[in-house]
């Protein structure tokens, strides 16, 4: 589903001859409706987070962010992302390589399977690991015997996050590498390039922007995941609370200002993600036109 | 070029495919199969009573109807936004284009608390609607608004590239044959972008059915009235009713798989259309 996000606005397309364009008035109204809708649905929530977070003053805002539970939530969120993203990146590259550089039976079916986590409700994404590793789960008794804790602990949170962000890198790379074909790699092979060197020197330069974008998307989702992590974390304060869970707890305790203050961190992450996307699009199109 | 013998000149087929299948199995397939195995051990009548009683049916209905109306609203406004972005020039267009992606990038819980605050009785918009007798937060309407937020980028981003690639020639021809703009739109342009619009609608709908984070705050979670299906699973888990949670999860999974199948068929139709054009 995330693969649908790469659209570029070309300038010439928006300059149209009069007879196949709407009248100035209609254009004005349509642009007005679009902007109003986006303001109400997207901009207003964004502004609300900062407004509510800062409503009780800068001190309350800073206090909420430097609170020890908030700090440990931030730390946990960073650790989880640092484990989940590299794993999914390696998988994404492997999967895209197999799918786009070779023809084999069941190729389309494999792509559908990679998409599966997008179609699964986040709550179910957490539930499946509870079923597998929880106290009543299939492997629960065995894990218990060996003193390994997965559910209500870091490994469970990491697993759920990996599941939820599973397709992002692969989904970004597959269409890109498909469009690029295999000619360059084949030429390199005939010149004697081998294995990982081939990928590093020939393929990677061609896909680096797409790869980077996939990683950034994966990161945004990993840091912000709520439902899946909520099921498996057990909400232990200071221990298994990620930032989104910390926001929920503060909100449910009516500490609205603190809750929105922490939320503003994640809003900034989202805004950085959007800016990075624009930059990558811009660099990517510049690079392509060279 | 299409012969497999030629393609296998490149190294790493066994390794990359093997790793892909291994990782896919460990992370996705084996854990997901747990849902089926767990439910299989349940017994038919138990299973039926869990997935088909008044409270659960009410949750299905709320999930289905709110996701459907949100996807419908997004189909209309998403198309409008894509249209404006592709065809018109206006100041700040690039920023507007970026903002469309915000719901993808913003954590759902953050969206949830922000929307709840705006639409609560004393909120910015909620307080204006209250005298009119319209309640948004803690009603199905509130759930719908959260799902509109979540689903918007799906429609815009699937329709946008198709609209961009649309040939001017057919529109020119329509005008020369005397069609008005509206007629050109409804007879020429709309059929051309319909598959993409339908895909966007289906993606937004599928996402809306499973959505949890943004909805849980604004819905108020009242059984029979504003309890969505994912929340019901959550509630059962909190009561340690793992079998019950899993049975409902199975129903949702089957539904999602069917949705995914339909979306894939739609998407392959679009790519056929664009490559043949």
């Amino acid at each position: 589903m995330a693969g649908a996000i790469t659209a570029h606005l070309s300038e010439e397309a928006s300059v149209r001859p009069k007879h196949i364009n709407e009248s100035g008035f209609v254009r004005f109204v349509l642009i007005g409706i679009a902007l109003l809708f986006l303001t109400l649905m997207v901009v207003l929530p964004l502004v609300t987070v900062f407004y509510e977070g800062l409503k009780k003053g800068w001190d309350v805002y800073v206090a909420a962010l430097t609170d020890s539970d908030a700090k440990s939530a931030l730390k946990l969120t960073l650790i989880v992302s640092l484990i989940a993203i590299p794993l999914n990146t390696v998988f994404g590259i492997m999967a895209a390589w197999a799918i786009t550089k070779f023809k084999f039976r069941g190729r389309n079916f494999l792509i559908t399977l990679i998409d599966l986590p997008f179609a699964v409700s986040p709550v179910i994404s957490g539930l499946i690991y509870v079923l597998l590793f929880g106290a009543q789960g299939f492997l629960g008794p065995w894990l218990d015997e060996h003193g390994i804790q997965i559910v209500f602990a870091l490994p469970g949170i990491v697993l759920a996050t990996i599941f939820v962000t599973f397709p992002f890198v692969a989904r970004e790379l597959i269409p890109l590498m498909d469009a690029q074909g295999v000619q360059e790699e084949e030429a390199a092979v005939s010149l004697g390039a081998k294995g990982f060197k081939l990928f590093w020197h020939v393929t990677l330069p061609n896909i680096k922007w797409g790869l980077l974008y996939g990683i950034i998307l994966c990161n945004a989702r990993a840091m912000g995941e709520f439902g899946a992590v909520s099921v498996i974390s057990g909400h232990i304060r200071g221990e298994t609370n990620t930032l989104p869970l910390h926001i929920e707890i503060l909100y449910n305790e009516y500490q609205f200002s603190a809750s929105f203050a922490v939320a503003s961190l994640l809003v900034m992450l989202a805004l950085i993600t959007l800016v990075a996307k624009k930059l990558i699009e811009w660099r990517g199109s510049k690079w392509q036109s060279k | 070029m299409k012969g497999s013998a030629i393609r296998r000149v490149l190294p790493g087929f066994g390794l990359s495919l093997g790793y892909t299948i291994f990782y896919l199995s460990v992370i996705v397939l084996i854990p997901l199969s747990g849902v089926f195995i767990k439910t299989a051990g349940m017994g038919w009548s138990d299973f039926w009573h869990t997935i088909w009683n008044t409270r659960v049916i009410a949750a299905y209905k709320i999930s289905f109807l709110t996701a459907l109306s949100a996807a419908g609203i997004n189909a209309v406004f998403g198309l409008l936004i894509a249209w404006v972005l592709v065809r018109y020039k206006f100041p700040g267009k690039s920023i507007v284009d970026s903002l469309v992606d915000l719901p993808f990038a913003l954590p759902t819980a953050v969206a949830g608390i922000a929307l709840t605050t705006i639409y609560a009785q004393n909120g910015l918009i909620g307080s204006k609607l209250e005298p009119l007798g319209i309640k948004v937060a803690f009603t199905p309407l509130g759930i719908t608004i959260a799902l509109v937020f979540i689903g918007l980028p799906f429609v815009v981003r699937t329709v946008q590239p198709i609209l961009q690639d649309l040939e001017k020639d057919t529109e020119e021809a329509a005008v020369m044959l005397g069609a008005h703009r509206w007629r050109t739109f409804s007879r020429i342009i709309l059929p051309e972008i319909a598959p993409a619009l339908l895909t966007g609608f289906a993606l937004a709908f599928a996402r809306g059915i499973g959505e949890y984070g943004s909805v849980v705050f604004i819905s108020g979670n009242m059984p029979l009235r504003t309890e969505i299906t994912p929340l019901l699973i959550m509630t059962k888990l909190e009561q340690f009713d793992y079998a019950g949670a899993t049975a409902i999860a199975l129903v949702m999974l089957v539904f999602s798989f069917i949705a995914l199948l339909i979306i894939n068929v739609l998407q392959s139709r679009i790519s056929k259309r664009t490559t043949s054009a």
Side-chain angles (χ1 to χ4, degrees):
Chain A
M1 293 187 191
I5 323 174
T6 30
H8 299 273
L9 295 169
S10 68
E11 272 307 307
E12 10 117 44
S14 41
V15 184
R16 303 175 66 83
K18 228 179 181 172
H19 65 282
I20 52 168
N21 204 345
E22 286 74 49
S23 69
F25 176 70
V26 174
R27 265 181 292 170
F28 183 76
V29 170
L30 290 181
I31 293 173
I33 298 173
L35 291 185
L36 185 69
F37 184 80
L38 278 172
T39 307
L40 277 179
M41 287 310 301
V42 180
V43 179
L44 196 58
L46 207 64
V47 176
T48 301
V49 173
F50 289 104
Y51 175 76
E52 293 288 328
L54 291 164
K55 203 161 74 173
K56 289 197 178 145
W58 184 249
D59 294 340
V60 178
Y61 182 82
V62 174
L65 296 185
T66 48
D67 172 75
S68 72
D69 286 342
K71 274 189 194 159
S72 66
L74 176 64
K75 201 174 139 201
L76 181 64
T77 296
L78 291 175
I79 293 172
V80 169
S81 299
L82 279 176
I83 303 172
I85 294 164
L87 286 171
N88 278 345
T89 303
V90 171
F91 161 75
I93 292 170
M94 288 285 210
W97 183 267
I99 286 170
T100 60
K101 302 297 175 193
F102 306 97
K103 286 237 156 194
F104 54 92
R105 268 183 153 199
R107 188 173 165 272
N108 284 327
F109 184 61
L110 187 61
I111 297 177
T112 306
L113 286 182
I114 292 173
D115 267 346
L116 256 186
F118 277 147
V120 174
S121 170
V123 174
I124 298 176
S125 314
L127 166 76
I128 54 177
Y129 295 106
V130 175
L131 288 181
L132 210 53
F133 302 117
Q136 296 184 19
F138 299 109
L139 297 173
W142 186 87
L143 290 170
D144 205 33
E145 246 170 59
H146 293 77
I148 306 168
Q149 183 147 26
I150 292 182
V151 171
F152 306 144
L154 180 67
I157 300 174
V158 171
L159 276 171
T161 307
I162 291 179
F163 183 94
V164 170
T165 55
F166 185 85
F168 279 95
V169 177
R171 259 334 224 165
E172 215 46 55
L173 289 183
I174 290 169
L176 190 66
M177 285 167 69
D178 222 11
Q180 282 169 352
V182 292
Q183 284 94 328
E184 283 188 40
E185 280 86 359
E186 280 174 0
V189 165
S190 70
L191 292 171
K194 280 201 183 79
F196 189 69
K197 256 189 156 171
L198 172 71
F199 171 77
W200 190 258
H201 292 294
V202 181
T203 312
L204 191 61
N206 284 334
I207 60 167
K208 60 184 173 192
W209 297 115
L211 180 64
L212 193 60
Y213 182 50
I215 292 172
I216 287 171
L217 270 182
C218 186
N219 178 57
R221 184 71 198 268
M223 290 196 169
E225 178 50 30
F226 178 71
V229 172
S230 181
V231 171
I232 206 160
S233 94
H235 296 87
I236 307 166
R237 250 191 145 134
E239 271 182 51
T240 62
N241 258 350
T242 59
L243 276 183
L245 297 181
H246 187 60
I247 292 170
E248 183 201 19
I249 288 187
L250 290 173
Y251 187 86
N252 287 341
E253 286 173 350
Y254 302 103
Q255 301 189 42
F256 295 126
S257 288
S259 171
F260 280 104
V262 179
S264 71
L265 278 186
L266 290 175
V267 171
M268 284 185 252
L269 171 75
L271 291 177
I272 292 169
T273 306
L274 296 188
V275 171
K277 186 203 166 187
K278 266 280 173 239
L279 285 178
I280 289 168
E281 263 177 21
W282 179 69
R283 283 303 300 260
S285 60
K286 221 172 97 177
W287 177 85
Q288 262 168 7
S289 60
K290 246 196 247 172
Chain B
M1 264 308 168
K2 280 194 174 165
S4 59
I6 300 170
R7 288 222 160 188
R8 302 256 164 104
V9 167
L10 298 179
F13 178 65
L15 177 71
S16 61
L17 186 65
Y19 182 77
T20 300
I21 291 171
F22 166 76
Y23 191 77
L24 181 73
S25 307
V26 171
I27 299 290
V28 180
L29 299 181
I30 295 171
L32 267 182
S33 63
V35 172
F36 294 89
I37 297 168
K38 179 93 183 169
T39 320
M42 223 179 143
W44 179 248
S45 80
D46 251 10
F47 175 69
W48 185 252
H49 283 299
T50 313
I51 64 156
W52 208 252
N53 61 55
T54 333
R55 186 171 170 189
V56 185
I57 293 171
Y60 295 150
K61 255 191 206 158
I62 294 159
S63 284
F64 187 84
L65 289 177
T66 52
L68 195 71
S69 18
I73 294 170
N74 275 331
V76 174
F77 285 97
L79 172 60
L80 184 93
I81 291 168
W83 181 274
V84 165
L85 283 175
V86 170
R87 301 204 158 202
Y88 304 154
K89 260 183 139 169
F90 55 93
K93 182 164 139 173
S94 174
I95 295 171
V96 173
D97 183 59
S98 283
L99 277 176
V100 169
D101 282 329
L102 188 83
F104 273 145
L106 191 72
T108 52
V110 176
I113 60 171
L115 289 171
T116 311
T117 306
I118 294 169
Y119 289 99
Q121 270 181 27
N122 54 1
L124 191 62
I125 297 181
S127 61
K128 309 275 185 301
L129 295 175
E130 181 78 8
L132 306 172
I134 305 169
K135 278 191 182 162
V136 181
F138 317 127
T139 68
L141 187 60
I143 303 175
T144 309
I145 285 182
L147 296 181
V148 169
F149 176 86
I150 293 299
L152 180 69
F154 290 106
V155 176
V156 179
R157 293 304 185 224
T158 26
V159 173
Q160 207 173 0
I162 306 295
L163 213 50
Q164 194 122 47
D165 292 344
L166 220 57
E167 298 291 332
K168 284 179 186 168
D169 309 12
T170 32
E171 268 182 72
E172 299 253 13
V175 175
M176 278 178 208
L177 293 170
H180 293 293
R181 281 310 288 164
W182 175 250
R183 207 175 147 85
T184 315
F185 174 75
S186 62
R187 293 291 173 84
I188 308 285
I189 302 173
L190 203 56
E192 207 50 49
I193 57 173
L197 192 59
L198 205 60
T199 308
F201 174 86
L203 286 171
F205 177 66
R207 175 72 204 266
I209 289 276
E211 177 56 21
Y212 175 75
S214 61
V215 174
V216 72
F217 297 98
I218 205 168
S219 74
N221 310 326
M222 288 164 279
L224 299 176
R225 290 187 43 219
T226 59
E227 189 176 52
I228 52 165
T229 320
L231 185 84
L232 200 60
I233 295 175
M234 201 69 162
T235 313
K236 293 214 178 271
L237 276 175
E238 273 161 10
Q239 295 161 351
F240 301 103
D241 179 8
Y242 290 103
T246 313
I248 298 170
L250 181 75
V251 175
M252 282 193 73
L253 274 183
V254 170
F255 189 86
S256 309
F257 291 163
I258 295 170
L260 189 65
L261 215 65
I262 294 171
I263 290 165
N264 274 352
V265 171
L266 281 172
Q267 266 171 344
S268 68
R269 285 222 180 138
I270 296 175
S271 62
K272 251 180 223 157
R273 201 178 263 238
T274 43
T275 46
S276 67

